[in-house]
Amino acid sequence: MEWIPIAVMAVSFFVLMALGVPIAFAIGIATTGTMLLTIPFVPAAMTMAQRIATGMDSFVLLAIPLFILAGQFMSTGGVARRLVDFAKALVGPLPGGLAIVNIFSSMLFGAISGSAGAAASAIGGVMTKRMTDAGYDRAFCAATNLTAATTGLIIPPSNGFIVYSLAAGGVSIGALFVAGYLPGLLLGLILAGVAFVQSKRNGYPVGERVPFGQVAVAFLHALPSLFLLVLVIGGIILGWFTPTEAAGVAVLYTFLLSTVFYREFSLREIPAILLASARTTSTVMFLVGASIGMSWVMAYIELPQQISRAMLTLTTNPVMLLILINVILLIVGAFMDLTPALLIFTPIFLPIVQPLGIDPIHFGVIMVLNLSIGLCTPPVGSVLFIGASVAEVSMVEVVRPLIPCFVGMIVALALVTAFPALSLWLPTVFGF
């Protein structure tokens, strides 16, 4: 019966997750078990290994380890501190100014590094002490930091968009990068508004007004870091290099910036930085390979077609369909990391929405923004763990100040879903 392999895959995967098995291994084991049941006379373990290797053998995916390495150089090279100083000079005098500084710094650092985890760690490490010394609640610091860190997955360059492009069958990464600017800025502004209201309600201090000259000095110190955004995205738009080549340029630029210009670390620290990057890369790439293996098996058992038929029997209205998909993805994001969720669910949902006139660029922004919320959601939100750890608070303590931030993120998701122009206007302007 056609539902048996689906049930085997789903039940085995969620049982393994409940037992605490790492998600990549849970995906691999569940997929291999489903192969044993549904593909007779085929060696399941060997086939799964081949699928993992084939899934990782992609020139596009080479951009991910390169951007991870660039993010490591920035985390240790003094970039975070200079971005914080610049953001403080700009928005520090506002009520709850340090919370808004935290958000704007995370937006800038996340956009440059392309990693929410790196932003939560680097900016949280700088801002938590400053905020707590000024009288801010430590759990509020963590909630502000970890939700703001996800803006770096929307504002390019973004590893999430690279993975979505792969899963969607080659949607332009350059167009996805450009499409992320307005939704990312919208998300950051909404989170800043939430922080402003919470700070006023809790009586958090107002920062001192900064003279224009000091703002200019802070901007000049941060300018070499900010130029990376112009270099990477401008180079892609102008056709100077591909996204993968842009990632290589980012590595070279951040290395020179940290060692020659800022001089924040010595060459002796490079082996440790390379090792940290390799560990992160191995985790991400194994997730990619295992998820592509699961996607292959799902295609074999025709799971996307069955889900498509089931959803289209409920509604063919594009708006209602997007609402339904958003609800499903919000639930999925609470239990699954961004990368495997994109690789598994993009081939399922994209063929459903495209015939209804929904642009794949717009849908990619919706998916990445939606699943970014899951990174801050218990029980398996990776950025939630990082943010709580950096602020030295428990996840239970963070949940209460997180709720208003979640509401703000849902509002941003609703606006991006309802107004495609937020995602599609800039790609149209730049000719994608």
Side-chain angles (χ1 to χ4, degrees):
M1 297 178 68
E2 63 181 15
W3 58 268
I4 292 179
I6 300 172
V8 169
M9 179 179 287
V11 171
S12 58
F13 173 72
F14 285 110
V15 167
L16 290 167
M17 287 282 291
L19 293 174
V21 176
I23 186 168
F25 290 97
I27 290 172
I29 294 169
T31 303
T32 304
T34 308
M35 282 187 190
L36 288 169
L37 182 67
T38 60
I39 313 178
F41 311 113
V42 171
M46 183 181 298
T47 303
M48 185 60 185
Q50 291 173 341
R51 290 291 130 191
I52 291 174
T54 303
M56 292 188 293
D57 184 17
S58 169
F59 181 71
V60 171
L61 287 178
L62 184 60
I64 292 179
L66 291 173
F67 277 127
I68 289 172
L69 179 57
Q72 287 288 339
F73 281 138
M74 288 185 285
S75 295
T76 56
V79 173
R81 177 168 52 81
R82 288 168 175 83
L83 292 177
V84 166
D85 291 341
F86 174 52
K88 185 177 179 181
L90 281 179
V91 298
L94 297 173
L98 284 181
I100 300 174
V101 168
N102 194 328
I103 292 167
F104 274 63
S105 301
S106 294
M107 289 173 65
L108 292 171
F109 189 89
I112 293 170
S113 68
S115 168
S121 177
I123 301 301
V126 175
M127 286 301 303
T128 299
K129 186 177 186 308
R130 296 191 186 189
M131 292 179 70
T132 52
D133 287 348
Y136 287 80
D137 178 69
R138 191 173 286 270
F140 173 74
C141 298
T144 303
N145 174 50
L146 66 93
T147 50
T150 61
T151 58
L153 295 172
I154 314 299
I155 304 172
S158 164
N159 291 338
F161 286 141
I162 295 171
V163 173
Y164 172 81
S165 172
L166 176 70
V171 174
S172 169
I173 296 177
L176 287 166
F177 278 3
V178 174
Y181 274 113
L182 292 181
L185 291 172
L186 174 66
L187 175 60
L189 290 173
I190 290 175
L191 289 175
V194 171
F196 179 88
V197 172
Q198 286 187 288
S199 297
K200 290 277 285 185
R201 182 178 298 170
N202 294 322
Y204 291 139
V206 179
E208 296 180 0
R209 189 171 297 278
V210 179
F212 176 78
Q214 193 171 333
V215 175
V217 170
F219 171 71
L220 289 175
H221 286 166
L223 184 60
S225 302
L226 297 172
F227 180 71
L228 181 62
L229 284 174
V230 179
L231 179 63
V232 170
I233 305 303
I236 293 173
I237 291 173
L238 294 173
W240 293 346
F241 33 69
T242 67
T244 303
E245 292 164 346
V249 171
V251 170
L252 177 61
Y253 182 82
T254 52
F255 171 75
L256 295 175
L257 183 66
S258 301
T259 55
V260 178
F261 192 80
Y262 288 155
R263 298 183 181 179
E264 290 282 339
F265 68 81
S266 65
L267 297 179
R268 294 179 181 178
E269 297 178 67
I270 291 179
I273 292 172
L274 293 175
L275 179 60
S277 301
R279 285 173 174 165
T280 304
T281 298
S282 62
T283 301
V284 172
M285 296 305 288
F286 186 43
L287 272 172
V288 168
S291 301
I292 288 178
M294 178 175 274
S295 297
W296 182 80
V297 172
M298 289 193 303
Y300 182 87
I301 63 177
E302 298 185 345
L303 180 59
Q305 292 89 330
Q306 295 181 54
I307 293 176
S308 175
R309 286 194 295 268
M311 293 183 70
L312 291 175
T313 56
L314 294 175
T315 179
T316 56
N317 184 298
V319 175
M320 295 304 299
L321 202 58
L322 283 177
I323 291 173
L324 179 60
I325 290 173
N326 270 325
V327 171
I328 294 172
L329 290 177
L330 285 171
I331 296 170
V332 167
F335 299 95
M336 189 178 291
D337 201 47
L338 176 79
T339 298
L342 284 171
L343 289 166
I344 292 169
F345 288 94
T346 298
I348 293 175
F349 290 140
L350 186 59
I352 299 174
V353 301
Q354 270 191 289
L356 299 177
I358 296 170
D359 192 283
I361 301 294
H362 178 216
F363 189 67
V365 175
I366 291 172
M367 286 199 71
V368 173
L369 175 54
N370 189 310
L371 294 170
S372 296
I373 298 173
L375 298 176
C376 309
T377 308
V380 295
S382 57
V383 179
L384 173 61
F385 282 103
I386 294 171
S389 175
V390 169
E392 299 178 349
V393 293
S394 68
M395 285 202 304
V396 176
E397 293 176 281
V398 178
V399 167
R400 185 173 179 180
L402 263 181
I403 293 174
C405 299
F406 279 142
V407 173
M409 297 176 87
I410 296 295
V411 170
L413 175 62
L415 291 172
V416 170
T417 302
F419 299 102
L422 286 170
S423 304
L424 300 178
W425 179 66
L426 280 181
T428 302
V429 169
F430 288 106
F432 285 103

